[in-house]
Amino acid sequence: MTTYSLPHHKLRAYGAAVELLRAVRDAKVRDAGLRDQALRSAKSACLNCAEGAGRVSRADKARVFAIARAEAGEAAAAVEIAGMCGDASDVESVLKAADAVVAMLTGLIRP
């Protein structure tokens, strides 16, 4: 197996965002609209973590990591709402994963 050393592979927040994406997928949200929103937001959190890791200036990094943090929160909320309606399983895993992502990214956003 080839090992890559791209900037986002070194970022723990990216790994946490990937875990969030997996948790969202595994929550099996039955409401199509909420499932789509949750998956798109979780994917966006991953992509924005990767983008932020590749940015050079502190301000650029902070801006993109803030977007990733908001997307993680949105993914969690979509699954949480689906769970309240009885349309998702294992909401707790999603909330736990999102909490980790938000905490890590909060630390990366601060000056």
Side-chain angles (χ1 to χ4, degrees), residues 6-65:
L6 296 167
H8 62 280
H9 291 146
K10 300 171 189 171
L11 187 66
R12 286 188 293 179
Y14 174 77
V18 169
E19 287 304 313
L20 171 61
L21 176 58
R22 288 183 181 132
V24 167
R25 179 199 62 204
D26 294 346
K28 306 224 184 295
V29 176
R30 289 182 292 281
D31 179 297
L34 287 173
R35 179 179 58 248
D36 180 60
Q37 188 63 45
L39 285 169
R40 284 189 296 116
S41 295
K43 289 174 186 177
S44 183
C46 294
L47 291 168
N48 279 289
C49 282
E51 182 178 347
R55 295 289 177 155
V56 178
S57 79
R58 186 76 196 124
D60 264 355
K61 286 180 177 289
R63 182 186 62 77
V64 180
F65 288 147

Side-chain angles (χ1 to χ4, degrees), residues 16-17 20 24 38 41-46 49 65-78 94-95 97-103 105:
L20 171 61
V24 167
S41 295
K43 289 174 186 177
S44 183
C46 294
C49 282
F65 288 147
I67 293 168
R69 181 178 66 175
E71 293 291 350
E74 186 174 357
V94 173
L95 296 178
D99 189 55
V101 173
V102 168
L105 290 171

